[in-house]
Amino acid sequence: MKGIKSSGKVVYFTATFPYVVLIILLIRGAILEGAKEGIWYFIYPDIKRLRDINVWRNALGQMFFSLSVGWGCLIMFASYNKFRHNCYRDAMVVSSLDTITSVIAGFVVFSVLGEMARELGTDVSQVVKGGPGLAFIAYPEAVGFLPVPQLWSVIFFFMLYTLGLDSEFALLECVMSSLTDQFPPLRRNKFYFTLGFCIFCFLVALPSTTHGGQYVWGLMDKYGGDFAVLLIAFFEIIALMWIYGFRNFSQDIYAMLGHKPGIYWIVTWVAIAPILIILVFIAAMFFYKPLILEADVYYPPWSDGVGWLLALLSMIQIPLWAIIMTLLQKGDTLLDKIKMACTKNDHFDHRLRKHEHDTDAVAMVPTTKMTPGYDNPSIKF
């Protein structure tokens, strides 16, 4: 209820407890008789699947979701850091841990699914289910094959609950921080605002608990957090690297960390990432297929329209506010307004000069070694 101060303390438990459970389940799953077959199925690549554009789209979507890229959560959390906080170290640690966690979770799940396949006398591919079916159908069935299944079921679903809390903390705080920054009076009633917003989200989520809840979830998952996040991430990196400029951005990083990003990061930000994202997005649009719940259960035709409205609700914000901000600029012609909208102001320059003599303990380099000229992001390479 108190925002980042209270949720930050809770995360100490909710972020570490899943690792304890994963290690326990990994050890238990590794000693099962069918674990070898399940793990082999997990690590052996099917090269032919790389031809499927949905594999690339799902991979990008999963990466964006697990790392909160394009969702605004990283920017929100970063806003609470001190100016010279080592964000480079944080980014490397978080991305590495995310990859390691995904691999461990894969071993945990497929070792148990391998045992399930052995008990049923079938192939692992026949018991593997994607989407919510993996967490709520396949794995609970697999847990039933373990000794004391009631205990493992409680541990597993409590782990899922804590993981859900982590995601909810970030997403809720991201939205509420944006609203309180835009409307400062809300900060004076943060408790009631948070309570009301949580109740609102609870009511909105109730349809997902009905008999048709899986249909609702499928729409939100594909259209609300799949196509939209790809396009949002693309425009974010274009705005930052091509409009604001990678030189300005590199200078900003130097001012905060004491060193500029290497050529690998520049090439990745400027070319590789935006090209890969937009190519996957275009290919996903070209090979688009109506949403299917199961192999023989299709959504009604009108549901695709509802899904695209849901996706456009977030995607339309980028061109809409770009047009609004352009029209609000000073200038005699439209071209002048566009140039003004794409020109950085001196707000961030003032902030850099404010921290020019910052002696915070987390500073990457002594501030005495930094000069006002280098602190100014308007200075080019």
Side-chain angles (χ1 to χ4, degrees):
M1 289 298 182
K2 296 181 180 180
I4 196 69
K5 292 182 179 179
S6 58
S7 62
K9 297 177 181 178
V10 178
V11 167
Y12 282 119
F13 171 76
T14 59
T16 55
F17 176 75
Y19 284 98
V20 177
V21 177
L22 281 177
I23 296 301
I24 294 174
L25 292 176
L26 177 63
I27 296 174
R28 183 65 187 90
I31 61 177
L32 296 173
E33 292 185 34
K36 181 180 179 180
E37 287 71 20
I39 293 175
W40 179 252
Y41 181 86
F42 170 60
I43 63 176
Y44 185 77
D46 185 358
I47 304 299
K48 295 180 180 179
R49 295 298 304 277
L50 295 178
R51 303 174 184 174
D52 186 0
I53 189 61
N54 289 321
V55 172
W56 293 87
R57 178 173 58 83
N58 292 333
L60 281 177
Q62 173 60 28
M63 181 186 66
F64 286 175
F65 182 79
S66 62
L67 290 174
S68 295
V69 175
W71 295 84
C73 301
L74 293 177
I75 299 175
M76 180 273 299
F77 282 128
S79 68
Y80 292 99
N81 288 334
K82 296 182 179 180
F83 187 76
R84 302 191 192 282
H85 181 78
N86 192 346
C87 58
Y88 178 83
R89 177 198 59 200
D90 291 352
M92 297 302 295
V93 170
V94 170
S95 57
S96 299
L97 284 178
D98 178 75
T99 302
I100 294 173
T101 303
S102 299
V103 173
I104 294 176
F107 279 104
V108 170
V109 171
F110 280 90
S111 62
V112 179
L113 292 180
E115 173 64 12
M116 183 179 178
R118 188 190 69 82
E119 291 283 348
L120 297 175
T122 185
D123 189 74
V124 178
S125 61
Q126 301 301 315
V127 297
V128 173
K129 299 180 181 180
L134 179 62
F136 297 104
I137 299 176
Y139 201 84
E141 290 178 356
V143 170
F145 291 98
L146 300 177
V148 195
Q150 297 82 358
L151 174 63
W152 296 111
S153 298
V154 170
I155 292 176
F156 176 73
F157 281 104
F158 185 66
M159 179 189 70
L160 291 183
Y161 174 72
T162 58
L163 291 174
L165 282 181
D166 281 342
S167 299
E168 202 65 23
F169 286 151
L171 294 173
L172 281 176
E173 188 64 30
C174 179
V175 176
M176 291 189 296
S177 295
S178 301
L179 291 175
T180 53
D181 288 345
Q182 188 67 29
F183 306 103
L186 292 175
R187 297 178 183 175
R188 294 194 294 267
N189 302 286
K190 185 65 177 291
F191 176 85
Y192 296 104
F193 172 59
T194 304
L195 178 62
F197 191 75
C198 289
I199 293 175
F200 170 76
C201 292
F202 171 77
L203 295 176
V204 171
L206 280 180
S208 298
T209 65
T210 62
H211 289 293
Q214 194 168 356
Y215 287 93
V216 177
W217 176 88
L219 281 175
M220 293 189 296
D221 179 62
K222 180 171 183 177
Y223 295 101
D226 194 347
F227 294 111
V229 72
L230 290 178
L231 196 62
I232 291 172
F234 171 75
F235 280 115
E236 280 186 356
I237 198 167
I238 289 297
L240 191 59
M241 292 297 142
W242 287 91
I243 298 178
Y244 179 70
F246 71 90
R247 291 186 177 89
N248 289 328
F249 186 69
S250 298
Q251 231 19 86
D252 296 341
I253 292 180
Y254 181 86
M256 290 183 281
L257 302 183
H259 60 83
K260 295 179 181 179
I263 187 64
Y264 167 80
W265 298 110
I266 297 297
V267 173
T268 301
W269 292 335
V270 172
I272 297 177
I275 291 175
L276 179 61
I277 293 173
I278 197 61
L279 286 179
V280 171
F281 179 81
I282 293 174
M285 293 294 99
F286 183 79
F287 294 103
Y288 169 79
K289 295 180 180 179
L291 191 58
I292 302 176
L293 182 62
E294 294 178 0
D296 55 349
V297 181
Y298 289 81
Y299 279 69
W302 57 265
S303 63
D304 276 331
V306 174
W308 281 112
L309 287 176
L310 181 64
L312 289 174
L313 186 62
S314 55
M315 291 191 293
I316 198 66
Q317 301 298 322
I318 298 174
L320 175 63
W321 287 103
I323 294 173
I324 292 175
M325 295 306 297
T326 299
L327 295 178
L328 291 177
Q329 300 299 318
K330 297 179 181 180
D332 297 329
T333 64
L334 179 60
L335 182 60
D336 291 337
K337 290 179 178 291
I338 294 176
K339 289 181 178 179
M340 288 297 297
C342 295
T343 302
K344 72 182 185 70
N345 54 39
D346 60 351
H347 172 74
F348 194 65
D349 291 356
H350 288 314
R351 187 181 179 190
L352 287 176
R353 287 194 288 270
K354 174 184 175 182
H355 293 273
E356 189 175 311
H357 301 292
D358 184 10
T359 56
D360 194 281
V362 298
M364 286 296 297
V365 295
T367 54
T368 54
K369 294 183 180 180
M370 304 181 70
T371 65
Y374 280 112
D375 277 349
N376 191 335
S378 62
I379 305 298
K380 305 297 183 181
F381 274 126

